[in-house]
């Protein structure tokens, strides 16, 4: 064609030259050189993994609450096993010869060529015995690693547990996890997995054709040292965590204590709890199944998964929003004839106080007072605009953290529910107003909260208007890194000045003669609080107390919920007071110490009845709201919702049956 | 009627190329099987869910795809070239936004269970448009304008791929220099390109001031030898200045533009660094595997290095290490021989085309394949930095296999039409 045709030869020549270069280099590395890389004979590199120790966790005072213990796994590479003395291996391991054969079969099924666990976590004695006779068992080797140990045996649900990765984990991790790795599956172990796990190390060893180790490869140049996981510092005070779990022994419920100034969680008790050490070691599987099968559901993390109506503990928030919106002032009084009439149904009160002030209304937990506040709030823009005003009120309450997750640093938190206007539209159409939803006024309506949310609301009052995201871990690693989101103040839109009058009422509740929790007064510490008795459609009411202390510069905000325990003042309030006293002073003193012991002995576990029986709604005593049919409809549909509401059907107590302890108030305090 | 037409076209197809294609695909399948072969589960039978099972499906569908391309009217490729090019550009933009991040770059568009890698398909889109441009305007590349237009055609997809960032796939687009060279682009461009690579490498091995000294000395001597010819003096001064500037640019680009992992790879390849925990690990392990193959290899499924995950990305970018370990130098020679035979044949086929469109396209196909083969094998034996691009027709993966199939079979179709007009 043209002279450019000749360029074909240049291109083709280039192809050939490059091919020759590639072949020359291949010739060199495959045929000439045998020193630069592993000799081509039949040497093989084998990797042995070095497992890192997981990071330790300390409590707020520097005490180790999660640590590691060395254990040894006996590993086997089945195709390297020569006929051996089954009996002496079995003896060294304290297992039967049948077990030896069975385990070997299992290992074969897993992999013939790779190192697979033969017996996991052998005892120190077995390990010592084995070391002397290992040479007689080619194909077997020991692998050291560490497992978790929880010295205080508390807070199982918070710490969570660690387990060997599943195939699913391995696939999802896109190559990070390998069989034999461990991984946090719940609680802190799960949410901080990436900092706790550390980095796996590798030792490369050269083996010759006869499979005898020839020493480390390239003087360990390609070996990687295992790097331990990061240390975490928790906000938990293990002393009150422990006290709390003891106080809640044989009771169903939750305690959450928060340091208001920082949002650090001081204690988080989910009762019934379990010893986290049960989920470590060889019995993990069995113990786990037992926990799952336990009818009191210890695997439930009640502080973040339980959902309870906030009940009377909701009243301070009513007061705050009322003050902020100007529908009441601290001196506003309402007349309490012992009930409040919402349209033609009655909300009962525990007392007949006549004209009652806000301060006393809070201290005495007056339903009438707060129904009036709610009425004023919802109708302040006129009767016609109630729907919109309700929604506005709902959004203001939501700022306190209700109705959505607080995003605490352990997994599976639930948001609780909190009806907005749309929800009511669905139930009532357009025809609803403050009388229809009056039970919201006393925290008993279409609202549920987790104990964490309730404690957080208390921290907001203690801080006079803001909260920091509640969290269990305050610092990560040697540099004590703090997550940014944990130092941000979240304001709730209530001016600081409105808090004092409300706090006055809460102070009276615990410290004045007419309060609802005066029996839980702490010597020398002004605790402000509020009792609550939460209606439980399935049985005895839940006992609730929320509070904080001391009044000035509060150090602790707390919420206590004891299911099926009756009035808040009988169980929840004293439990809270013991926790607070122990946290602030280091001990519970005087006659109150005996109260602690008494409390620990109380058994309030509801009797377990057959799940197949129908739930019988029981009329409750303290707050008797006459429900319209439509309210009943919602309540029934709520019961069908997933979550504690439906689950607690299983735990339903038998009314007044002997399994329960005597709940009479007189027995409580001296 | 259609059947008849089909027969006529099939008769003209270069079956030798098809046979080499099938041979390479089979080699790929066998070695993917070997590289994920687990001696423990050998008895399990054929598993369509595994990589080799999927690869078999890719090969079969690829073959069907290739054969159906032969049924097209060859003129369509010319007519639709701008359209195909436009679509691949759009896909390259889309992938930047919806791309699934695999191994640090946004290369894949997830389509259900299948993932589309637009950078693979951009190759034939670009080849088609370049061929169309050259065949329509017959530019000869003597003037700046035609070089500029051709450069835009090639650089647009290249830049988009750099943004992913997928340096390896982008580099392949430099292969289009060769078809341009064949159509008249001055050989100096290739020399300059070569010079740039040499200077780039030299810049790391020799202190910059010594290099400048050498450049200036050489330039000076050259001027001295040609002191009568003003034109040469001026161009020599310019070239020397540009070269010195380039040296500094390389240093700056190296520290500012390249990612740390890319720097490490270059330093490892040049032997400036011996830290082999991370980036060097792949190459070391790959070379151990290949080196242990010796003359005839360990035999099929007998490789030990390439099992148990010593060589990462075993079935994709590092498949050649399995070939090296299990089939030895003999096997490597066969594979490289097959590639070279294919490349030389493609060039010969391209030269027998009557239409410029087919010739340019043929050159593009050959040179893209050449870049892939050279970079990939060079990487596994440590003469090129680790650049993750697949070994054509052998590496595991549907996108890659299909795009090479389309690339090749479009050319076979054009070739079977060579007597007609396109
Ligand atoms: Zn009252």
């Amino acid at each position: 064609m043209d002279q450019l045709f000749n360029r074909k030869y240049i291109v083709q020549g280039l192809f050939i030259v490059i091919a020759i270069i590639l072949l020359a280099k291949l010739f060199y590395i495959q045929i000439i050189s045998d020193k630069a890389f592993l000799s081509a004979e039949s040497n093989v590199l084998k990797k042995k993994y070095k497992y890192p120790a997981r990071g330790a966790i300390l409590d707020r005072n520097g005490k180790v609450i999660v640590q590691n213990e060395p254990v040894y796994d006996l590993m086997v590479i089945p195709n390297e096993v020569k006929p051996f003395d089954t009996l002496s291996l079995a003896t060294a391991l304290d297992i039967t010869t049948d077990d030896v054969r069975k385990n070997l079969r299992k290992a074969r099924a897993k992999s013939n060529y790779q190192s697979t666990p033969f017996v996991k976590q052998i005892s120190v004695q077995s390990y010592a015995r084995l070391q002397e006779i290992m040479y007689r068992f080619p194909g077997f080797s020991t692998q050291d690693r560490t497992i978790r140990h929880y010295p205080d045996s508390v807070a199982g649900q918070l710490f969570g547990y660690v387990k060997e990765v599943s195939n699913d984990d391995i696939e999802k991790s896109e190559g990070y996890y390998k069989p034999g790795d461990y991984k946090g599956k719940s609680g802190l172990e799960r949410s901080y997995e990436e900092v706790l796990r550390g980095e796996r190390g590798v030792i490369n060893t050269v083996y010759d054709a006869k499979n005898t180790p020839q020493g480390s490869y390239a003087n360990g140049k390609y070996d990687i040292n295992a790097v331990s996981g990061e240390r975490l510092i928790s906000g938990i005070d293990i002393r009150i965590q422990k006290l709390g779990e003891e106080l809640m022994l044989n009771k169903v419920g939750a305690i959450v204590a928060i340091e208001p100034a920082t949002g650090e969680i001081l204690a988080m008790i989910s009762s019934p709890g379990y010893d986290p050490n049960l989920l470590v070691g060889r019995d993990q599987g069995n113990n786990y199944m037992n926990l799952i099968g336990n009818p009191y559901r210890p695997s439930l993390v009640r502080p973040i998964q339980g959902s309870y109506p906030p009940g009377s503990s909701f009243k301070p928030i009513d007061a705050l929003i009322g003050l902020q919106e100007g529908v009441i002032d601290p001196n506003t009084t309402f007349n309490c004839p012992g009930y409040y009439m919402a349209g033609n149904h009655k909300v009962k009160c525990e007392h007949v106080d006549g004209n009652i002030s806000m301060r006393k209304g809070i201290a005495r937990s007056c339903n009438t007072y707060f129904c009036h506040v709610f009425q004023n709030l919802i109708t302040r823009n006129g009767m016609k605009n109630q729907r919109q005003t309700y929604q506005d009120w709902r959004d203001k309450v939501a700022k306190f953290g209700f109705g959505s997750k607080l995003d605490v640093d352990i997994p599976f938190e639930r948001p609780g529910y909190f009806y907005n206007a749309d929800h009511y539209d669905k139930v009532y159409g357009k025809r609803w107003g403050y009388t229809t939803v009056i039970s919201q006024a006393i925290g008993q309506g279409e609202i549920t909260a987790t104990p964490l949310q309730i404690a957080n609301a208390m921290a907001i009052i203690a801080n006079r208007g803001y909260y920091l995201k509640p969290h269990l871990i305050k610092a990560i690693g040697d540099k004590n890194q703090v997550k940014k989101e944990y130092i941000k103040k979240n304001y709730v839109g209530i001016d600081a000045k409105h808090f004092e009058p409300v706090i006055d009422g809460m102070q009276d509740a615990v410290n004045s003669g007419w309060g609802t929790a005066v029996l839980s007064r702490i010597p020398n510490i002004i605790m402000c609080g509020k009792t609550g008795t939460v209606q439980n459609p399935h049985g005895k009411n839940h006992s609730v107390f929320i509070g904080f202390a001391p009044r000035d510069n509060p150090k602790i905000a707390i919420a206590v919920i004891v299911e099926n325990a009756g009035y808040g003042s009988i169980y929840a309030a004293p439990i809270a007071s013991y926790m607070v006293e122990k946290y602030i002073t280091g001990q519970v003193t005087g006659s109150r110490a005996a109260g602690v012991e008494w409390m620990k002995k109380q058994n309030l576990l509801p009797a377990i009845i057959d799940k197949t029986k129908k739930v019988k709604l029981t009329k409750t005593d303290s707050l008797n709201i006459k429900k319209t049919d439509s309210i009943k409809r919602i309540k029934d549909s709520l019961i069908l919702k997933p979550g504690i509401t439906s689950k607690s059907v299983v735990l339903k107590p038998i009314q007044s049956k002997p399994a329960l302890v005597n709940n009479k108030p007189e027995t409580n305090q001296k | 009627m259609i059947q008849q037409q089909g027969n006529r076209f099939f008769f003209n197809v270069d079956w030798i190329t098809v046979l080499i294609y099938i041979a390479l695909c089979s080699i790929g399948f066998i070695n993917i099987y070997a590289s994920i072969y687990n001696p423990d589960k050998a008895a399990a039978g054929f598993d369509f869910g595994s990589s080799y099972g999927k690869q078999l499906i890719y090969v079969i569908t690829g073959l069907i795809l290739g054969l159906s391309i032969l049924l097209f009217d060859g003129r369509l490729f010319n007519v639709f070239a701008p359209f195909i090019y436009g679509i691949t550009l759009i896909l390259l933009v889309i992938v930047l936004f919806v791309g699934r991040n695999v191994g640090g770059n946004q290369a894949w568009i997830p389509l259900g269970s299948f993932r589309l890698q637009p950078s693979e398909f951009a190759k034939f889109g670009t080849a088609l448009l370049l061929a169309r441009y050259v065949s329509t305007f017959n530019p000869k590349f003597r003037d700046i304008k035609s070089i500029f237009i051709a450069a835009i055609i090639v650089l647009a997809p290249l830049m988009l791929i750099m943004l992913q960032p997928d340096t390896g796939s982008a580099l392949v687009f430099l292969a289009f220099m060769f078809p341009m060279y064949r159509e008249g682009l001055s050989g100096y461009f290739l020399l300059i390109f070569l010079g740039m690579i040499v200077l780039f490498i030299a810049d790391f091995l020799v202190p910059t001031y010594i290099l400048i000294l050498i450049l200036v000395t050489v330039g000076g001597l050259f001027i001295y030898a040609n002191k009568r010819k003003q034109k040469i003096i001026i161009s020599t001064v310019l070239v020397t200045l540009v070269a010195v500037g380039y040296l500094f640019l390389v240093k700056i680009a190296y520290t500012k533009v390249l990612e740390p992992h890319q720097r490490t790879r270059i330093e490892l390849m040049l032997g400036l660094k011996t830290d082999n925990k991370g980036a060097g690990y792949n190459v070391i392990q790959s070379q151990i595997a290949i080196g242990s193959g010796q003359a005839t290899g360990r035999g099929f499924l007998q490789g030990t290095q390439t099992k148990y995950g010593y060589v990462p990305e075993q079935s994709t970018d590092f498949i050649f290490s399995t070939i090296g370990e299990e089939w030895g130098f003999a096997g490597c020679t066969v594979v490289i021989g097959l590639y070279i035979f294919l490349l030389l044949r493609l060039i010969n086929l391209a030269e027998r085309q009557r239409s410029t469109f087919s010739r340019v396209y043929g050159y593009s196909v050959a040179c893209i394949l050449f870049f892939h083969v050279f970079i990939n094998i060079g990487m596994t034996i440590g003469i090129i930095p680790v650049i993750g691009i697949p070994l054509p027709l052998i590496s595991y993966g549907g996108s890659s296999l299909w795009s090479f199939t389309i690339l090749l079979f479009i050319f076979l179709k054009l070739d079977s039409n060579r007597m007609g007009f396109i």
Side-chain angles (χ1 to χ4, degrees), chain A residues 1-5 7-8 10-12 14-16 18-19 21-23 25-27 29-31 37-38 40-47 110-114 174 204 217 221-224, chain B residues 39-40 100 178 181-185 276-277 281 284-285 287-288 290-292 294 298 304-305 308-310 320 324 328-329 332-333 336 340 343-344 347-348 351 359 363 370 374 378 381 383:
Chain A
M1 289 171 81
D2 48 48
Q3 77 275 20
L4 289 174
F5 177 78
R7 293 194 166 182
K8 157 190 170 178
I10 294 183
V11 174
Q12 290 186 326
L14 182 71
F15 291 174
I16 292 170
I18 294 291
I21 292 175
L22 292 178
L23 285 172
K25 173 82 193 230
L26 281 166
F27 189 77
I29 64 174
Q30 292 187 306
I31 295 182
F37 303 110
L38 197 59
E41 204 16 35
S42 43
N43 286 1
V44 173
L45 263 185
K46 279 185 186 163
K47 287 179 175 185
K110 255 191 174 169
S111 168
N112 233 340
Y113 291 75
Q114 276 171 310
E174 295 191 348
N204 295 291
Y217 169 59
K221 216 158 95 183
Y222 308 117
D223 295 354
I224 302 170
Chain B
D40 300 322
R100 212 181 116 167
F178 291 97
Y181 168 69
R182 166 62 184 83
E183 296 305 318
L185 186 70
N276 293 316
K277 258 190 212 167
Y281 184 80
I284 296 275
Q285 290 302 335
Q287 291 183 66
I288 290 173
I290 293 172
S292 69
Q294 289 193 295
R298 289 174 189 272
T304 50
Q305 294 306 304
Y308 309 128
Y310 278 101
F320 193 74
F329 184 69
C332 293
T333 311
I336 292 175
I340 288 302
L343 293 176
L344 297 180
I347 295 292
N348 284 339
E351 287 295 349
R359 183 176 65 232
Y363 262 85
F370 167 69
F374 176 42
I381 59 180
I383 61 178

Side-chain angles (χ1 to χ4, degrees), chain B residues 295-340:
Chain B
T296 53
R298 289 174 189 272
F300 182 49
L301 303 184
Q302 301 304 308
T304 50
Q305 294 306 304
T306 49
K307 307 277 181 292
Y308 309 128
Y310 278 101
V311 183
E313 297 163 68
Q314 188 56 57
S315 53
T316 54
D317 294 346
F318 280 90
I319 187 74
F320 193 74
S321 59
T322 303
I323 299 174
E325 184 182 19
E326 298 198 343
W327 305 99
F329 184 69
C332 293
T333 311
V334 168
V335 170
I336 292 175
L338 277 173
Y339 276 123
I340 288 302

Side-chain angles (χ1 to χ4, degrees), chain B residues 29-108:
Chain B
F29 170 74
I30 288 168
N31 285 289
I32 290 164
Y33 179 79
S35 61
I36 64 152
Y37 173 78
N38 183 340
D40 300 322
K41 311 228 157 90
F46 197 87
D47 177 7
F48 278 97
S50 66
S51 303
Y52 65 83
K54 286 186 198 157
Q55 185 72 6
L56 186 64
I57 295 167
Y58 296 147
V59 169
I60 291 167
T61 46
L63 206 57
I64 294 169
L65 184 68
L67 293 177
S68 36
I69 284 172
L70 294 180
L71 295 175
F72 276 90
D73 184 338
R75 277 166 294 194
L76 289 178
F77 298 115
N78 191 342
V79 172
F80 283 107
F83 183 66
I84 296 171
Y85 179 80
I87 287 180
T88 53
L89 277 196
I90 291 168
L91 286 175
L92 283 174
V93 173
I94 291 175
V95 81
L96 291 176
F97 296 102
V98 304
R100 212 181 116 167
N101 198 312
V102 175
N105 58 50
Q106 303 272 114
W108 303 84

Side-chain angles (χ1 to χ4, degrees), chain A residues 59-108:
Chain A
D59 91 336
R60 65 187 299 107
N61 302 314
K63 184 183 178 304
V64 178
I65 51 177
V66 179
Q67 63 190 43
N68 299 301
E69 260 178 4
V71 290
Y72 303 92
D73 292 347
L74 184 64
M75 311 291 287
V76 66
I77 303 174
N79 77 327
E80 291 175 9
V81 173
K82 305 263 147 51
F84 63 93
D85 180 354
T86 323
L87 185 61
S88 62
L89 185 65
T91 320
L93 288 167
D94 286 328
I95 56 175
T96 66
T97 50
D98 276 349
D99 288 334
V100 171
R101 277 188 283 271
K102 200 177 74 196
N103 291 352
L104 197 57
R105 263 203 310 279
K106 270 193 204 161
R108 276 225 166 84

